[in-house]
Amino acid sequence: MTAATPPGTPRVARQRADSSPFMRFWTAWDSFWFAPQPALALTLLRVIAFGTLLAYVAWEYTWVVRLQDVATWLYRPVLLYELLGIGPIPPGLASVLRLVLLACGVLGLLGIWTRLSAGIAAAVYFYSIGQVYSYTNVHHGDYLLGLALVALALSSTPSPLAVRVPWPRRAAVPIGMGDLVPGWPIQLVRVQIAVTYFLAGYAKLVVAGPGWGDGVSLQHYLLLRGQPMGYWIASQPLLCAVLSIATLVFEVGFPLALFERRLRWLLVISAVGFHLVSEYVLGVGFNFFLPFLLVFVDPLAVLRWLGSQRARLVGAPRLLGAR
Amino acid sequence: MDLIPLPALLLAGVLLGLACAAPVVAWARWRRGTPGRRAALSTGLFALVAAQLSLGLLLLDATWPLTGYPMYAPRIDPGATINVLLLSGTTAGAQEVQIAGSAMFSDPLDLQARALDALEDPARRAAMASAILDYYNATQADERERLVALRGAVERRSVDAGGVITRVVEPVFVYPEAAP
């Protein structure tokens, strides 16, 4: 409370009266994070998160199930597991957890018990990939899905586009697609994507220096990964230098997508291209990260554009008939 | 840690300190009139982003799930040699099979990261080879497709300044040693 605010002043009035640098910072911070977003954008995030979770269960979870066949002396727990005293996954548990993830994914996708489903799925997902990382290297493309699930679990905004259920829902006020809601879960995913790229570029500049852009390191990483297309690119030093510089510029510059709407499209399309090329020439898949790039898209603007295109198509025969 | 420039090190320290101070900040905001839920959520987001940035600036990889992103960052000097583990084996049905890294873990290089050092060390080789054999066989329903012998080789790959690639394969081990 500031000295100018008398005791007993209501909380909101006190907040308005407080214009200290401390509160000014937090006002600016909150206006970034809690800027309203259309409810449709939050629904899109929900669909992406639970859809990606189901894709993870279908394509990647088999590696968690197979951990029960790995000799336990190969288990080297990640630091968090070591601190928490978590040991190797017990035989049979992975199969049970797969059913849990599947159920949460389907329920969340349908908008039924979304927060509960997201919370349980996040816990199981982090446990599962932590188990995998305790036998392998830590991979960096998997964290975002867990974070998105945590955000959905903590978001109190009711979800539009939810399937009707026969039992009464607690959310009293129905919400429309265009209604504005606190957009912090979307901002959180956007910020994490930007931070991921930026820190990857930062690491290259700090560890290797600007010399990373000469292409030599990329040539050797292509040899290490051993993809057929990668060998061809590794044999083209100039192309490797161009790709290396482009990678550095893209990674360090990606945070601009958070603030510059005009650059956003370019950076997001570059990100999609970056991952597709990485998958093809390096065999490095960010399959559970890539779909989240859609959170940079304004779904209402897309719907409006689709609507205008539809109107043009529907109107075209009339115009032809009138001629 | 020696690699990190001083300004980045200082920034990381400040951010980590602010992240740790988040509960106190949330309490102070609540005392100044911010609704409790908003203060907790907003300050929690600050702590998360600050911690993520801090660990990223410090290039820490062991602090999963919040980590730095140093993958593919190390500089590799021109003419360096890249070693890649190649596995093959003989099945109970006397078939020779190549074992792709992706048959063992999601990322083909994960097995190499954990096993190559041990396989190149005669004292630790047998235990590691036996573990790999058992892991591979656990997924083979047909007994004739199970491995009875495992062979390992290292392919040494390099590329010169003109882009000419050289690949040399060197056998490393046979397990069990009596196997042909």
Side-chain angles (χ1 to χ4, degrees), chain B residues 87-114:
Chain B
L87 292 175
S88 59
T90 307
T91 66
Q95 297 289 313
E96 298 296 317
V97 291
Q98 298 294 317
I99 304 168
S102 56
M104 311 294 281
F105 287 110
S106 172
D107 187 318
L109 294 178
D110 277 337
L111 179 67
Q112 167 167 338
R114 285 290 162 112

Side-chain angles (χ1 to χ4, degrees), chain A residues 11 14 18 20 26 29-30 60 63 66 133 136 139-140 143 192 202 212 214 217 221 223 231 235 284, chain B residues 29-33 42 52 57 61 64 66 72 74-76 80 102-104 106 110 114 139 157 163:
Chain A
R11 183 172 296 280
R14 266 188 280 157
D18 193 341
S20 62
W26 286 107
W29 176 263
D30 285 357
E60 194 75 10
W63 297 109
R66 285 195 62 190
Y133 295 166
T136 68
H139 296 276
H140 297 94
Y143 169 62
Q192 183 59 38
Y202 160 85
W212 197 91
D214 66 9
S217 298
Y221 288 124
L223 292 187
Y231 281 121
S235 69
V284 176
Chain B
R29 292 183 67 191
W30 176 74
R31 289 279 296 161
R32 289 176 179 229
S42 160
Q52 169 66 85
L57 290 172
D61 213 12
W64 178 87
L66 294 178
Y72 304 105
R75 162 123 182 111
I76 302 178
S102 56
M104 311 294 281
S106 172
D110 277 337
R114 285 290 162 112
T139 57
R157 302 172 183 169

